[in-house]
Amino acid sequence: MEKYYGWGLPADISTHGAAIDRLIYVLHGFMAVLFVGWLIFLVITLVRFRARPGHQAVYQSNHFKAPTYLEVGVGLFEAFLLVGFSFPIFHQYRNVPPPRDQAMEVRIVAEQFAWNIHYPGDDGIFGKTDIHLISPANPVGLDRSDPAAKDDITTVNQLHTPVHKPVIAHLSSKDVIHSFFLPVMRVKQDMIPGQTVDTWFEAKKMGNFEIACAQLCGLGHYRMRGFFIVETEDKFKEWINQMR
Amino acid sequence: MEHATPEAIKRHVKVYISVFVALAFLTVVTVIVSYLKLSLVYAIIVALSIATIKGSLVAAYFMHLISEKKIIFWVLVLTLVFFLALLITPALTGLEIRSYVS
Amino acid sequence: MSSLIRYISRPHPITGVTNAKLGTWCFLASEVMLFGALFSAYILLRTGASSWPRGSELLSVPLATFNTLVLITSSVTMVMAWASLMMKDLSKYKRYMGFTILLALTFLVVKGFEYGHKFEHHHFPSTSTFYAIYFTLTGLHGLHVLGGVIVNTYFLLPGSKLWETEPEQFTGRIECAGLYWHFVDLVWIFLFPVLYLL
Amino acid sequence: MTGEHNLPFWRKYIFSIDHKVIGIQYAITGLLFLLFGFFLMMMMRWQLAYPGQPLPWIGHLFSEKAMLGGVMLPEFYNQLGAMHGTIMVFLGVVPLAVGGFGNYFVPLQIGAPDMAFPKLNMVSYWVYFIGGVIMIVSFFVPQGAAQSGWTSYAPLAVIAPTGQTLWLLGMVCLITSSLLGSINFITTIVQLRADGLSFFRLPFFVWAQFVTSFLLLLAFPPLEAAGVLQLMDRLAGTSFFMPSGLVVSGKVVEVSGGGNPVLWQHLFWFLAHPEVYVLILPAMGIVCEIIACNTRKPIYGYKGMVYSVIFIGFMSFIVWAHHMFLTGMGTKMSAFFQITTMIISIPSVVILTALVLSLWGGSIRFTVPMLFATAFLPMFGIGGLTGLPLGLTASDIHLHDTYYVIGHFHYVVAPGTLLALFAGIYHWFPKVTGRKMSDFLGKIHFWLSFLLMNGVFMPMFIQGLAGVSRRLWDPMQYAHAQPTQPLNVFISICAWLLGLAQIPFILNFFWSLIWGKKTDQNPWQATTLEWSAPSPPPHGNFEHVPVVYRGPYEYSIPGQRNDFWPQAMKEGN
């Protein structure tokens, strides 16, 4: 079995995650170079100018040009990071959803301390929901009298998606703020009660992964683990039919 | 307001009275306008403009800002900048939250 | 002890203000941010709301107009109290200060009637977001008025003894109390249209 | 000078209006709270290292509602987490850095006899004290203290048990205290500087405190407002932060609705980001003083540093939403906040560079305070650099709310600010007590603390990159967190050893108080005004009203007999 997790970034199975990872690597390379270079300078300075008999401090220090260049350089590099990486990546992540006709849509409704996954079924339309219908057997409050709800499927903590297919997830919360986090997908989005926010992703590998909650949501925050299973289209359909 | 002679103070008193009259007048105006049933946008513009004028009168004359020292202005300008940032930014970010659910 | 500290009664030669005046303005700056945050909350909640009532449909505009005039008048009497001290007339000061306090109390009594009326009709902060923000903003403003009443009463009665020993310092204190009082008035000038008229 | 010595004990030491006594009160209370907050963390580290195992000995001291059979319950873990953050930030570091150091040394460094409003100063300490008491009492109410994180995000905090109400009341006290304090500082620094002490002759420490005071003055009120709104939500049933249609534990919540949870975050972070600079700026100020004194040369680019610190203060008000990138914020607003976040990093780089370049050409005495101050530089560097991936939305997607964040801000405030605060204690102890602290114990304290702090916080970056979320009672629940579990054990051991490493400091503190070597009024041969006053300074501070003739860091002037030229000394020496 492939090793997904370790010390450092988890494996990335998303189509968009490589860009994020690249930014993280570039950033850490930049930070390492800057810090190590600077640390060497610091150590040399500390040794060279230590107090010792016969050594005197100099009153008028020269005006150094190098630090100014360094500061300007850091500023320019940060501008480059913004324009070259962060803006385009985040724009893609936030503003460019996959076409709805090619994507699978799913609603994810978080609660203390579980993920309710709502699939629209074959018609692709989510049935109406009503908070007054919520019960242990019907965690999202699906209105079964709505024709669109007939083929809808809800699961708890089981998010299955087909591989190589874009998924649009409509995220909301029933009670407090949760944060939908798929470590291997480089997806994280707060779920604010009273609002629906969308996120999307496409898996390029199959496997059993997990959903984590990234925002403190109460005493069960630590165990708000969901299962994120990426499988072939056929297996996915089979699973859906099973769930019916 | 300089530490002035009794005569100067007496002049100030006259200013205070006229400011008071202006404030009372503007209060009545803003209430009358509110009965005109303007559309919300115009109502907001008119009411807040009048309130700003009234507020400025109070600040300028009763609080003596019109002749206040520079140091006070610096404190207030700084405050005003952050005040405005605080006032509008949350609402702006709120408008940007998006969902594609129909 | 405190005589070691400079610029208590006389202004600093460079900044041109006394310690108390600068301190008061700093305090008012923080108050601006306090009310700024509440107004910001108001804007965010209102722009995000699906519907929002016009204040005049739920609240009594005549009472609030009356209260606005009361507060404006109290601002004038307050500044007159200070002007009286500048003209070295303590008894006139006391008269104006007394008026200011009476007007502030009038404001609070009217406010109390308004609240009582709302409670009678079972309108509470929990009724709707409009009432929530109405009660919070006016309640906090009311507390500020109450604070002003306490401060002004102190300066009317025991605090005025300072006039005999340090008239300049006392006048400065009244100016600062006045700044606070005008600020409370100023907040109301904005609260009135925002809550009652729009 | 005056009748101070005739005052009864309780007026002289308890309800004192002398800025020095108040400063000491703040510092001692702050240090005790730091220790207390650290204890909370050391208990949490047991649960993180050995999840679900009973905490030896200590676990049985607690009630069954906190530690069931010695095993920490998740509720209690959340309480410890929330209160650790609150106590460290609001009751520990700020009171020590601003209340303690600021109160004691700002008037001394500007040549003032006291703060501008001594009684207000006393009130602000006691309001802070009441706030602290409320926070501690909150542990003993039914269902314990606040448990929704130090950020108290709504709606979780709104539906939380009673402890949260006390947290809010405590915060209102702490905020009020800071507001009163900041008014006092601003007025004091503007009005009471000694003759000749122009703004550009102020020690950098005073500048840092000055900017800090503005941050406190203007950033804290919005949190006070937010606290009032959350209190209304909890007590009066309003729904400022409660949207319509909430269903908690299967039951529809009966509130009017229409609120917005993100509103809390805006108001909270409008304070809490400037608050980060409230934590760090005084530390920079202390470090600057110590570096100037121990390199025996003027600070490099003093004016540049002053402009930078003002600029940081200004910018810190318009970066707050970078804590909220993942709340659903769009690209326009997030672009704005990313840009401001990148801009604010530049003046920090300028200050850090100036401090390092100040070492160049010096004659560096490695005294204990200097060791701490030197260590501050790379530690703050790491803290600052690791802020970059969090300030860019794209990398923040993965790193948001992971241990990476914890590592980042702890590097800023623990090995950063705390080392600087220790430096300050060692540096100014002779001024406050007239005695020096032990070098030997000080060096032990320094090396152990320095190494162990890195042992605690460095592995957190690895955990964060692995995606381990914050505030997990049991990290072993997640497959992606399990491989990093050995790091948790390592971190915990380092944390406990770090606790032990504070014993030399505590011993040193009390030992030196009584038996430390007596010093004259200027043992470090420093230039700033506080060293022209007797040690400890009497009531009123100075024997003669000081007059300032030059800038703050006139060291090693060629042709002078001594290598330092105090600000208040008229003639050459």
Side-chain angles (χ1 to χ4, degrees), chain A residues 5 7-8 28 48-49 51 55 57-59 64 78 86 95 174 177 181 188-190 210 213-214 218 221 224, chain D residues 247 296 300 326 331 338 342 345 361-362 364 393 397-398 400-401 404 466-467 471 478-480 483 554-556:
Chain A
Y5 310 117
W7 288 20
H28 283 83
R48 189 170 153 194
F49 295 102
H55 178 72
V58 190
Y59 174 71
F64 301 103
E78 283 176 353
S86 197
N95 294 350
K174 277 199 235 175
I177 300 177
F181 180 28
K188 192 180 285 164
Q189 176 59 51
D190 285 1
E210 53 191 1
C213 181
H221 169 55
M224 193 163 156
Chain D
V247 182
R296 316 304 298 163
Y300 176 88
L326 297 187
T331 41
Q338 285 179 80
M342 292 301 121
S345 71
I364 305 167
T393 41
I397 293 169
H398 182 69
H400 189 82
D401 268 332
Y404 199 93
R471 296 165 171 169
Y478 286 108
H480 69 272
E554 294 297 298
Y555 290 99
S556 298

Side-chain angles (χ1 to χ4, degrees), chain A residues 115 179-183 187-188 210-215 221 224-226, chain D residues 467 469 472 478 480:
Chain A
W115 308 93
S179 189
F180 178 72
F181 180 28
L182 300 175
V187 164
K188 192 180 285 164
E210 53 191 1
I211 312 171
C213 181
Q215 184 68 266
H221 169 55
M224 193 163 156
R225 180 187 182 212
Chain D
S469 298
L472 295 176
Y478 286 108
H480 69 272

